[in-house]
């Protein structure tokens, strides 16, 4: 045997497929957003989430950060 498993090639994960299908410039923006957004989230946490707009902004930024992590994963600075 040549070292390949009996199942053949392991298929790509959907996350890897998504991150490779977007243009490089979008991956770059997503990569740097994923790095900088936690600072904004930390600022919102420090100022306390005592109002609905702050809480909504915090949750939306968390979702944006997760999407940025997925899309920017394949970016190589």
């Amino acid at each position: 045997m040549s070292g390949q498993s009996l199942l053949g090639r392991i298929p790509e994960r959907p996350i890897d497929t998504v991150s490779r299908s977007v243009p490089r410039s979008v991956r770059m923006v997503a990569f740097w957003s994923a790095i900088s957004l936690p600072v904004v989230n930390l600022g919102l946490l420090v100022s306390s989430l005592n109002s609905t707009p702050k809480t909504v902004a915090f949750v939306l930024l968390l979702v944006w950060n997760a999407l940025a992590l997925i899309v920017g994963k394949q970016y190589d600075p």
Side-chain angles (χ1 to χ4, degrees), residues 18-56:
V18 168
S19 64
R20 270 198 282 270
S21 67
V22 295
R24 180 172 165 77
S25 59
V26 174
R27 277 185 279 159
M28 179 189 68
V29 169
F31 175 82
W32 290 110
S33 292
I35 290 174
S36 60
L37 282 175
V39 174
V40 178
N41 281 340
L42 186 60
L44 279 172
L45 280 175
V46 168
S47 70
S48 77
L49 302 174
N50 55 4
S51 67
T52 303
K54 283 185 180 180
T55 305
V56 170

